[in-house]
Amino acid sequence: MKILVPVKRVVDYNVKIRVKPDGSGVDLANVKMSMNPFDEIAVEEALRLKEAGKATEVVAVSIGPAQAQETLRTALAMGADRGILVQVDGTVEPLAVAKILKGIVAEEAPGLVVLGKQAIDDDCNQTGQMLAALLGWPQGTFASKVALAEGTVDVTREVDGGLQTVSLKLPAIVTTDLRLNEPRYASLPNIMKAKKKPLDVKSPADYGVDVTPRLTVVKTAEPKGRTAGVKVASVADLVMKLKTEAGVL
Amino acid sequence: MTTLLIAEHDNASVKDATNKALTAAAAIGGEIHVLVAGSNAAAAAAEAAKLDGVAKVLHVDAPALEHGLAEPLAAVIVALAGPYDAIVAPSTSSGKNVLPRVAALLDVMQISDITAVVAPDTFERPIYAGNAIQTVKSGDAKKVITVRTASFKSAGASGSAPVETVSAAADPALSTFVGEALSESDRPELTSAKIIVSGGRALGSAEKFKDVVIPLADKLGAAVGASRAAVDAGYAPNDWQVGQTGKVVAPDLYVALGISGAIQHLAGMKDSKVIVAINKDEEAPIFQVADYGLVGDIFEIVPELTKAL
Ligand SMILES: Cc1cc2nc3c(=O)[nH]c(=O)nc-3n(C[C@H](O)[C@H](O)[C@H](O)COP(=O)(O)OP(=O)(O)OC[C@H]3O[C@@H](n4cnc5c(N)ncnc54)[C@H](O)[C@@H]3O)c2cc1C
Ligand SMILES: Nc1ncnc2c1ncn2[C@@H]1O[C@H](COP(=O)(O)O)[C@@H](O)[C@H]1O
């Protein structure tokens, strides 16, 4: 069984982004970019399934600018077998990403697609669910455990009240939560080897997908700021201030 | 303009997240219908009928809907979607699970996690862990929207709308429920609590978390939250995680104990009314958002604070 893993190139999670003063967007010039953290977890899970003999091939795919090749190389260095870059500049919304992925699924026929639950730039949390819908496949979102069996996969999901386990017919979609696994680091030899692994470059037109956004960004603004308050000297001082000044006790 | 609001419920009662999403739906304007899709969920439907400003409750009952699985629930919503201009759900784990599936089936780009309604087609939503607020206008004929509950007040429940029973769309039978492990607790829910006490990596163990954080929470009648580090380390269950990828909360009082204040954590709590931070590192970023900061060792200060209250 083949596993497809979509990986997105995003601003590194350690970077505190800045909003452009004219409200036209976020300043991404010279900002460190990385693989979306949830997608690293997705790659790791796919690799573990392959190492356990439950999958035969792991294919990473990214939709984005030419530089997203670096993100794919990271996935290849972790151990993915092949990469597919669907090259497109500018914003591609989750709905369009899902449509492109549907086209790739039609070509590749994976038994499982493992995505991140959320891209940490747009914070949409949509793509996996949308892909499942377009394919008519079941979905196991926010996974903290994935148990692959013959024809089915059991997914333990992180939900508001705790954990829920569902059983999905294969082929299926899984989206990863933080506690599914700890992604490996790519070793230097593997980084070298990854340079020789196959990486195809495609375009949205190859899949007949129109990537024109459905949402118009009217403006992008700084959030309401919060200023540091005061340091209190003692517990007694804190309790007093919470009672009288803040009025929350 | 008519909106279909997807109720968050456990078949017996409607969750407060529904009341909050209702306030957002009301801001969009027009008539609001509430969908209660569940199994033996008549009690929840009756409760939904009391929500203020609701014109009608649609009650769909089928065994496949008992656990809110995305596939049958999306089928039900899509079957009903025809006459609606907007489909709205709270950004709970079930709303986030099902609504994008609905959106894709309707060929709509969902607007996730709105924090304000600017116009019926224009919304504010946070991006980059809340470090930027985007205003987006949707060109889709139908709007599919999830609502960040921390940004809206709960609607009241003094109405009496009619409940209409509607038959369920066929279950696509792609998934089955296996089981669940829900945390049982008498505490207020994180997302509706007035006071939250949260613990971080500094607690060091599940035992210490229980010995230090819980008594203070008990004293304050508070819900308990945690940082990702505390959850990853097993000091607290996953459903306590506050942050960009956990729960977003905005209580009257948020007390952060031994939490550094990473952007991903701040994303989940920086809209709290009053923030108290206790941390031994006076440079910890949490102090930049705290109204009251106390520099020191949580293992000394927190028991003292619990006693002083
Ligand atoms: C994709 C992604 C998503 C994430 N999502 C979230 C999320 O939703 N929520 C979240 O919280 N994090 C999230 N994180 C993790 C986040 O980046 C931080 O790693 C995490 O919040 C740190 O937790 P902490 O503050 O408990 O631990 P630390 O950063 O280790 O801080 C511990 C603090 O305790 C203080 N301390 C230590 N001992 C004592 C003592 N005895 N008394 C007083 N103070 C003491 C230290 O000074 C320090 O400030 C995410 C990260 C990624 C990459
Ligand atoms: N441009 C993209 N290229 C590859 N994968 C993507 C892309 N956008 C989203 N994804 C996948 O979908 C997940 C959820 O993204 P989102 O719905 O944008 O929050 C990510 O974690 C990725 O696995």
Side-chain angles (χ1 to χ4, degrees):
Chain A
M1 187 185 78
K2 199 188 280 186
I3 302 181
L4 192 71
V5 187
V7 295
K8 187 177 186 186
R9 178 176 184 265
V10 298
V11 170
D12 186 84
Y13 80 96
N14 277 312
V15 173
K16 187 162 185 312
I17 55 93
R18 261 178 238 288
V19 174
K20 289 187 194 159
D22 65 357
S24 65
V26 168
D27 192 355
L28 296 182
N30 304 317
V31 165
K32 181 175 180 212
M33 306 293 285
S34 299
M35 187 190 298
N36 184 42
F38 288 100
D39 305 353
E40 290 179 354
I41 296 171
V43 173
E44 177 66 35
E45 196 63 18
L47 295 175
R48 289 186 189 186
L49 288 168
K50 187 181 166 193
E51 285 157 2
K54 295 188 169 167
T56 48
E57 192 185 21
V58 176
V59 181
V61 38
S62 194
I63 294 131
Q67 298 92 314
Q69 288 208 16
E70 294 160 21
T71 314
L72 286 168
R73 292 286 171 205
T74 305
L76 297 175
M78 286 173 75
D81 299 291
R82 283 192 289 127
I84 301 171
L85 170 67
V86 180
Q87 195 171 326
V88 40
D89 289 314
T91 308
V92 188
E93 292 172 343
L95 181 62
V97 171
K99 288 178 180 176
I100 292 171
L101 292 174
K102 183 187 177 197
I104 295 175
V105 166
E107 272 178 14
E108 298 281 342
L112 199 61
V113 184
V114 188
L115 305 88
K117 82 162 175 181
Q118 175 174 342
I120 61 162
D121 52 359
D122 63 24
D123 282 334
C124 273
N125 195 334
Q126 300 179 4
T127 308
Q129 297 89 312
M130 286 184 156
L131 177 61
L134 297 178
L135 292 166
W137 289 10
Q139 65 188 56
T141 53
F142 326 147
S144 67
K145 192 168 163 223
V146 173
L148 201 54
E150 205 50 55
T152 60
V153 59
D154 280 9
V155 179
T156 300
R157 311 178 48 235
E158 295 204 359
V159 295
D160 287 343
L163 296 168
Q164 180 193 58
T165 305
V166 292
S167 180
L168 314 176
K169 281 188 186 158
L170 291 175
I173 303 291
V174 169
T175 77
T176 62
D177 216 318
L178 293 169
R179 281 160 287 275
L180 180 57
N181 60 49
E182 264 203 53
R184 68 194 66 186
Y185 290 103
S187 67
L188 198 57
N190 285 343
I191 292 172
M192 300 313 290
K193 259 195 260 167
K195 293 192 172 145
K196 297 201 193 77
K197 289 187 180 174
L199 197 162
D200 276 354
V201 180
K202 302 271 197 176
S203 79
D206 293 336
Y207 305 98
V209 176
D210 175 5
V211 298
T212 312
R214 302 286 186 86
L215 304 181
T216 313
V217 178
V218 180
K219 74 169 186 212
T220 306
E222 291 272 357
K224 266 196 305 262
R226 207 179 166 109
T227 42
V230 295
K231 293 256 168 66
V232 294
S234 66
V235 165
D237 197 11
L238 176 64
V239 173
M240 197 264 293
K241 286 215 157 68
L242 288 176
K243 280 190 174 149
T244 56
E245 202 174 275
V248 287
L249 290 184
Chain B
M1 165 105 213
T2 317
T3 294
L4 181 65
L5 171 66
I6 316 302
E8 173 85 16
H9 66 87
D10 60 3
N11 295 310
S13 64
V14 167
K15 301 278 169 119
D16 184 49
T18 311
N19 303 45
K20 290 177 167 162
L22 174 56
T23 300
I28 296 170
E31 195 169 300
I32 300 170
H33 300 172
V34 176
L35 172 66
V36 176
S39 176
N40 296 316
E47 233 184 74
K50 296 197 190 118
L51 293 172
D52 288 349
V54 169
K56 174 162 90 172
V57 171
L58 304 180
H59 175 200
V60 180
D61 220 282
L65 298 171
E66 183 173 359
H67 301 286
L69 297 184
E71 300 83 3
L73 181 54
V76 165
I77 298 170
V78 169
L80 295 172
Y84 293 100
D85 304 293
I87 298 173
V88 173
S91 267
T92 52
S93 56
S94 54
K96 290 176 191 167
N97 188 35
V98 74
L99 225 60
R101 192 169 178 108
V102 170
L105 292 171
L106 297 172
D107 193 30
V108 170
M109 173 59 202
Q110 172 176 298
I111 308 148
S112 293
D113 236 9
I114 64 161
T115 51
V117 176
V118 177
D121 63 352
T122 309
F123 309 90
E124 287 182 11
R125 59 176 306 268
I127 54 173
Y128 289 97
N131 286 306
I133 307 294
Q134 214 173 42
T135 305
V136 293
K137 187 174 161 139
S138 164
D140 285 315
K142 278 189 204 307
K143 319 293 178 226
V144 176
I145 297 164
T146 62
V147 176
R148 176 168 286 197
T149 53
S151 302
F152 295 89
K153 292 211 162 63
S154 298
S158 54
S160 59
V163 178
E164 196 177 294
T165 306
V166 183
S167 58
D171 174 13
L174 296 164
S175 64
T176 49
F177 173 80
V178 176
E180 61 195 355
L182 300 185
S183 7
E184 298 285 336
S185 156
D186 308 329
R187 283 174 202 293
E189 267 187 63
L190 258 179
T191 47
S192 46
K194 294 252 175 299
I195 302 181
I196 295 174
V197 178
S198 278
R201 191 196 310 268
L203 272 306
S205 69
E207 291 68 44
K208 286 274 193 262
F209 200 101
K210 201 167 115 250
D211 293 347
V212 175
V213 180
I214 303 294
L216 177 58
D218 284 342
K219 202 67 171 269
L220 291 167
V224 185
S227 71
R228 175 195 171 178
V231 176
D232 282 3
Y235 309 163
N238 66 281
D239 51 305
W240 289 4
Q241 182 178 313
V242 170
Q244 178 187 20
T245 57
K247 286 183 177 142
V248 178
V249 299
D252 292 341
L253 174 62
Y254 188 91
V255 184
L257 306 174
I259 293 179
S260 60
I263 48 177
Q264 292 85 5
H265 189 79
L266 300 186
M269 44 65 77
K270 70 177 157 52
D271 292 330
S272 304
K273 213 184 269 164
V274 174
I275 298 174
V276 170
I278 303 177
N279 194 305
K280 71 175 180 191
D281 172 12
E282 63 176 316
E283 302 291 325
I286 189 80
F287 287 126
Q288 289 162 21
V289 300
D291 300 280
Y292 302 104
L294 189 46
V295 178
D297 187 339
I298 49 169
F299 298 111
E300 286 165 22
I301 293 172
V302 179
E304 194 188 328
L305 176 59
T306 307
K307 220 155 90 206
L309 288 167

